[in-house]
Amino acid sequence: PDEGLRSLKALREDAESYKTDKLQLDNLNQRLEKDNNELDEALKVLGELPGMIIKAQEEKNRAELIHDNLLKEKRIRELSASLEEHRRRLAEGEPCPLCGSTVHPYCKQSPSSPDDLAGKIKEASDECDRSRKNFYSLETRLKQHYDIREKKSGELSGLKKDILKVSEKCRSVMNS
């Protein structure tokens, strides 16, 4: 009877050990599945982001070019306005203070039609800011997803090792 009792206690301990190990194995498998899903999502995003970044960089460059061109247009208009002031002071028959000519064929030329250049410059500046923020945001997301990929790959490797150890413990309890 004592031998049978010891055998039953040993079986009970093995059953408890198996139950604990099986619960741990189930938890590890759930974590493995969750981490695999997170890694898959990160890899999917990593596949999409480079194209999005290229497009955002093109938009940023285009917005900056438009803004620069508008600023150059503003400078040209400022210089032209300065010339307009000189033209208004010209009198027929009197020498031009810039070139000395007494003939002033462009004296009556009217300035270009006014438009809302300042508003266009403001819009272009806002678009530059928006496109820069979008571009830098996408670059940051790309770096974050590279970090997630590295982290999850390491975690998955560790989880697989842990699952193998616990699986072996479960098998050894079942075989004894």
Side-chain angles (χ1 to χ4, degrees):
D2 288 338
E3 184 63 34
L5 186 59
R6 275 192 289 254
S7 177
L8 284 174
K9 282 184 180 179
L11 284 174
R12 182 173 177 242
E13 287 173 4
D14 286 346
E16 288 295 322
S17 175
Y18 176 79
K19 182 180 173 184
T20 303
D21 291 342
K22 180 68 174 130
L23 184 61
Q24 183 182 6
L25 182 61
D26 290 343
N27 288 337
L28 288 172
N29 279 324
Q30 285 176 350
R31 280 186 49 205
L32 179 67
E33 184 178 340
K34 178 182 172 264
D35 284 353
N36 267 329
N37 290 339
E38 289 175 5
L39 179 60
D40 288 345
E41 182 63 29
L43 291 174
K44 179 183 171 192
V45 171
L46 284 174
E48 297 169 352
L49 278 176
M52 292 170 66
I53 287 174
I54 289 170
K55 184 179 175 186
Q57 186 172 23
E58 289 170 355
E59 287 177 12
K60 179 180 81 71
N61 291 344
R62 185 178 36 75
E64 288 172 346
L65 183 64
I66 289 170
H67 184 252
D68 289 345
N69 286 339
L70 287 171
L71 290 176
K72 287 176 185 173
E73 174 68 21
K74 178 183 177 190
R75 181 68 181 135
I76 289 170
R77 287 188 183 186
E78 288 170 352
L79 291 172
S80 179
S82 172
L83 287 176
E84 290 302 319
E85 180 59 34
H86 283 292
R87 281 187 186 143
R88 276 193 287 273
R89 285 193 238 143
L90 292 176
E92 197 61 42
E94 292 182 19
C96 172
L98 298 174
C99 67
S101 173
T102 57
V103 178
H104 313 296
Y106 299 107
C107 186
K108 301 290 186 218
Q109 185 178 9
S110 63
S112 60
S113 61
D115 60 359
D116 187 23
L117 184 62
K120 289 179 182 177
I121 291 173
K122 171 78 170 105
E123 286 177 25
S125 177
D126 292 346
E127 179 63 20
C128 278
D129 291 344
R130 187 202 59 74
S131 61
R132 282 184 191 124
K133 287 176 185 175
N134 183 42
F135 175 70
Y136 295 129
S137 169
L138 288 171
E139 281 190 327
T140 301
R141 267 184 73 196
L142 183 68
K143 183 185 179 324
Q144 289 170 341
H145 280 82
Y146 276 129
D147 293 346
I148 289 170
R149 182 186 68 183
E150 295 305 312
K151 179 183 173 194
K152 290 300 174 185
S153 294
E155 287 177 3
L156 286 171
S157 176
L159 277 173
K160 288 176 183 176
K161 288 177 185 175
D162 291 346
I163 287 172
L164 283 175
K165 286 178 190 175
V166 174
S167 294
E168 285 300 316
K169 283 176 67 178
C170 286
R171 275 190 222 110
S172 69
V173 168
M174 292 297 290
N175 293 333
S176 60

